[in-house]
């Protein structure tokens, strides 16, 4: 068993690492964060209130966590954390950091340093120095030298607007040629022998706050392959990494940035068979990895999801209705079944209480629902009151699609009641 710490675990990167590793049988995941984030609802082993990465107490604090939980590997899940941990001297941290060489981490965090390293390459965008803006071809694009997503970016249509925006900027800005065309992310994997084993381009169809919320994989183009191989020669990558490109007005691809880390939308390729966090870990463990790629197209669309926690509710017994609760039309409601198996895993009693018009055992059999899921089956006549069959002393909750049934249970038994749509709040997604 290998213990792996992800920090910060609530970032989009940290959530993708969790999705990629949560079912790996030889890996125990730990998530840590400095601020309250979504990681609390995802990581079963969640560690909160770490110092910020630039705090003087951060290294001693995380070393204590490493010792306490016997952490073997740390996955940085933010660009600043990649830089901070990646450039530490060997032995400072008591666990192995999953990232590329220190020089590559430093170069990747600064777009200026990246472009300087690639000066003269055909895919490097034109950069205007501050004393040469008079000769700039407008519009131009401004972006922070150090940053992530789309934070701080701007466009200037003429020289007066450019001077104004540079004057108002709170950090060093790069003045770049404007790239009006399509944008792509290329996910890559390089092993410890510096062999580039995978190049996976995907188109960024819809972007929100710098994150690709709709993306799909595309075939490798010759120019993309050339850029990937050249970057792999220039920089010392190890494990998963990616770069972003955009077409200029002539249709040529120009580099936006490189990053020696997992990307949140690497899920696109993960669902085609390329699990970047897992093969990266295997490489750091010293294993030679092979990549099997399914030859189909995947489109990923991302949106906010809901996760819940309750402060003052606990239960040992679940009373649940059958018709239109466990069933959905003529079929089984998969979310309800998932919840019931969660209850079994947590050793909670499940009591089916129903006014089903037919033989309930026969209906369960036809739907392929094992009646042994239930500790008891209470089959009532249509005029019987459910609340009279419930033992509130069992520390129970009640689930039923009928408002009248929920109302009667709530008023007479004073226990929590849930409609079918609210069962999502009872599911524990932490792994």
């Amino acid at each position: 068993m290998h213990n792996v710490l992800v920090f910060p675990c609530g970032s989009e990167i940290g959530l993708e690492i969790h999705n990629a590793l949560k079912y790996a049988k030889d890996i125990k995941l730990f998530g840590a964060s400095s601020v309250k984030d979504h990681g609390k609802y995802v990581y079963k082993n969640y560690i909160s209130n770490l110092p910020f990465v630039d705090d003087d107490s951060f290294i001693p604090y995380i070393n204590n966590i490493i010792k306490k939980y016997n952490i073997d590997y740390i996955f940085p899940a933010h660009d600043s954390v990649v830089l901070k941990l990646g450039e530490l001297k060997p032995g400072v941290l008591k666990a192995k950091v999953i990232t590329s060489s220190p020089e590559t981490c430093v170069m990747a965090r600064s777009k200026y340093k990246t472009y300087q390293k690639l000066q003269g390459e055909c895919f490097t965008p034109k950069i205007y120095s501050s004393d040469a803006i008079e000769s700039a071809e407008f519009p131009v694009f401004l972006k922070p030298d150090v940053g992530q997503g789309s934070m701080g970016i701007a466009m200037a249509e003429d020289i007066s607007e450019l001077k104004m925006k540079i004057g108002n900027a709170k950090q060093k800005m790069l003045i770049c040629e404007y790239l009006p065309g399509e944008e792509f992310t290329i996910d890559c994997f390089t092993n410890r022998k510096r062999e580039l084993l995978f190049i996976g381009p995907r188109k960024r169809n819809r972007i929100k706050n710098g994150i690709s919320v709709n993306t799909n994989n595309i075939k490798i183009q010759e120019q993309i392959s050339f850029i990937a191989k050249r970057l792999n020669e220039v920089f010392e990558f190890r494990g998963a990494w990616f770069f972003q490109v955009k077409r200029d007005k002539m249709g040529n691809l120009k580099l936006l940035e490189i990053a020696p880390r997992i990307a949140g939308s690497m899920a696109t390729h993960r669902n085609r068979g390329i699990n970047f966090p897992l093969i990266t870990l295997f490489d750091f463990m010293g294993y030679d990895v092979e990549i099997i790629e399914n030859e189909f197209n995947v489109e990923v669309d991302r949106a906010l999801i809901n996760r819940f926690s309750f402060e003052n509710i606990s239960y040992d017994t679940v009373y649940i209705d059958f018709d239109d609760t466990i069933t959905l039309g003529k079929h089984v409601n998969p979310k309800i079944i998932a919840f019931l198996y969660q209850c079994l895993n947590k050793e909670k009693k499940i009591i089916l209480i129903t006014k089903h018009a037919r033989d309930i055992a026969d209906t369960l059999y036809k739907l392929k629902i094992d009646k042994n899921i239930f500790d008891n089956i209470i089959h009532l006549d249509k005029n019987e009151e459910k609340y009279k069959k419930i033992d509130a002393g069992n520390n129970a909750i009640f689930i039923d699609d009928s408002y009248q049934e929920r109302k009667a249970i709530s008023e007479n038994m004073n226990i929590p009641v849930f409609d079918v749509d609210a069962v999502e709040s009872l599911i524990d997604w932490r792994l």
Side-chain angles (χ1 to χ4, degrees):
M1 182 65 67
H2 301 276
N3 293 342
V4 178
L5 177 68
V6 182
F7 175 77
C9 66
S11 66
E12 290 297 313
I13 306 155
L15 298 178
E16 169 54 20
I17 294 171
H18 178 270
N19 283 330
L21 299 179
K22 62 186 178 183
Y23 299 125
K25 62 181 180 180
D26 295 325
I27 293 171
K28 185 175 183 180
L29 276 177
F30 293 80
S33 293
S34 301
V35 297
K36 291 182 179 179
D37 61 21
H38 194 67
K40 171 185 174 182
Y41 302 90
V42 171
Y43 283 80
K44 184 177 181 180
N45 304 300
Y46 179 73
I47 306 165
S48 61
N49 298 320
L50 267 71
F52 288 101
V53 70
D54 54 357
D55 193 287
D56 290 339
S57 63
F58 176 77
I59 298 301
Y61 197 98
I62 202 167
N63 268 331
N64 285 334
I65 289 174
I66 291 168
K67 182 178 180 181
K68 180 177 180 180
Y69 297 104
N70 296 312
I71 301 298
D72 301 297
Y73 300 95
I74 298 178
F75 251 120
H78 186 277
D79 292 294
S80 295
V81 181
V82 169
L83 177 61
K84 175 71 173 183
L85 301 188
E87 64 182 357
L88 291 175
K89 293 181 179 179
V92 173
L93 276 186
K94 305 308 178 184
K96 189 172 291 186
V97 180
I98 306 298
T99 191
S100 296
S101 71
E103 295 78 15
T104 297
C105 293
V106 170
M107 289 283 180
R109 193 61 177 127
S110 165
K111 296 177 181 65
Y112 178 76
K113 290 179 180 178
T114 299
Y115 294 150
Q116 283 292 104
K117 185 75 172 178
L118 296 168
Q119 195 170 23
E121 299 286 351
C122 61
F123 52 85
T124 304
K126 185 183 295 184
I127 306 296
Y128 299 101
S129 62
S130 56
D131 57 357
I133 57 176
E134 300 289 343
S135 62
E137 183 179 345
F138 289 92
V140 294
F141 197 73
L142 288 86
K143 56 185 177 182
D145 177 37
V146 176
Q148 55 276 335
S150 56
M151 295 176 60
I153 64 172
M155 192 164 71
E157 298 286 350
D158 53 45
I159 193 164
S160 61
E161 185 179 11
L162 174 60
K163 290 180 177 179
M164 182 269 290
K165 289 183 175 178
I166 290 176
N168 292 337
K170 297 180 179 179
Q171 55 183 307
K172 179 182 178 181
M173 302 292 287
L174 297 184
I175 309 167
C176 310
E177 67 171 298
Y178 175 59
L179 304 173
E182 296 174 306
E183 188 172 339
F184 305 91
T185 296
I186 297 84
D187 299 317
C188 301
F189 176 80
T190 299
N191 65 16
R192 64 191 183 282
K193 303 170 188 177
R194 296 195 66 178
E195 297 169 330
L196 181 58
L197 299 187
F198 182 78
I199 303 169
R202 49 186 169 86
K203 186 178 177 184
R204 292 162 64 87
N205 301 313
R206 192 172 78 250
I207 300 170
K208 186 175 182 180
N209 297 327
I211 296 172
S212 180
V213 293
N214 182 281
T215 184
N216 64 279
N217 67 289
I218 61 171
K219 291 182 178 180
I220 298 177
Q221 302 167 9
E222 185 177 347
Q223 194 178 10
I224 286 175
S225 179
F226 170 78
I227 297 172
K229 292 175 181 178
R230 185 70 186 120
L231 292 175
N232 194 61
E233 291 171 354
V234 174
F235 299 99
E236 190 178 341
F237 292 112
R238 183 174 180 188
W241 58 281
F242 67 92
F243 64 98
Q244 292 179 348
V245 291
K246 206 164 188 277
R247 295 196 187 278
D248 64 16
K249 62 183 180 181
M250 302 301 294
N252 297 312
L253 293 175
K254 297 294 181 69
L255 183 69
L256 297 178
E257 64 180 4
I258 62 172
R261 61 166 173 81
I262 300 297
S265 294
M266 280 181 173
T268 311
H269 297 295
R270 176 166 54 80
N271 284 278
R272 298 173 64 235
I274 303 95
N275 187 324
F276 285 99
L278 187 59
I279 60 176
T280 298
L281 267 176
F282 284 162
D283 183 80
F284 272 79
M285 292 175 187
Y287 297 116
D288 293 330
V289 301
E290 295 180 354
I291 292 175
I292 301 173
E293 180 181 2
N294 285 307
E295 295 295 333
F296 51 72
N297 296 328
V298 174
E299 178 180 353
V300 178
D301 197 272
R302 303 160 74 187
L304 293 174
I305 59 172
N306 299 326
R307 294 292 184 262
F308 304 85
S309 65
F310 296 101
E311 292 184 357
N312 56 350
I313 180 174
S314 64
Y315 57 94
D316 301 310
T317 303
V318 176
Y319 288 89
I320 188 166
D321 175 49
F322 184 74
D323 294 295
D324 301 317
T325 301
I326 291 178
T327 61
L328 183 64
K330 296 180 180 180
H331 305 285
V332 174
N333 187 327
K335 183 163 286 187
I336 298 298
I337 290 297
F339 168 68
L340 294 181
Y341 272 92
Q342 173 185 289
C343 291
L344 291 176
N345 289 341
K346 296 191 174 187
E347 299 182 346
K348 298 183 186 296
K349 290 181 64 176
I350 306 172
I351 299 175
L352 180 63
I353 183 164
T354 178
K355 298 179 182 180
H356 187 61
R358 294 178 292 278
D359 184 335
I360 185 64
D362 184 59
T363 302
L364 289 171
Y365 177 80
K366 289 178 178 177
L367 291 173
K368 296 182 171 59
I369 300 174
D370 190 339
K371 65 181 181 181
N372 290 317
I373 289 176
F374 308 104
D375 292 272
N376 191 16
I377 298 177
I378 304 173
H379 199 172
L380 305 176
D381 293 332
K382 64 178 181 180
N383 294 322
E384 287 187 270
E385 299 284 359
K386 286 186 178 181
Y387 77 86
K388 295 181 179 179
K389 301 294 183 178
I390 288 179
D391 183 359
N394 286 338
N395 192 25
I397 62 172
F398 176 73
I399 303 170
D400 199 311
D401 70 298
S402 167
Y403 171 76
Q404 293 300 330
E405 296 284 13
R406 297 197 308 273
K407 183 173 184 291
I409 297 292
S410 179
E411 290 177 348
N412 289 280
M413 308 307 298
N414 193 30
I415 63 173
V417 297
F418 296 85
D419 198 349
V420 179
D421 67 284
V423 172
E424 65 173 349
S425 66
L426 297 170
I427 295 179
D428 185 354
W429 299 94
R430 296 172 298 171
L431 288 171

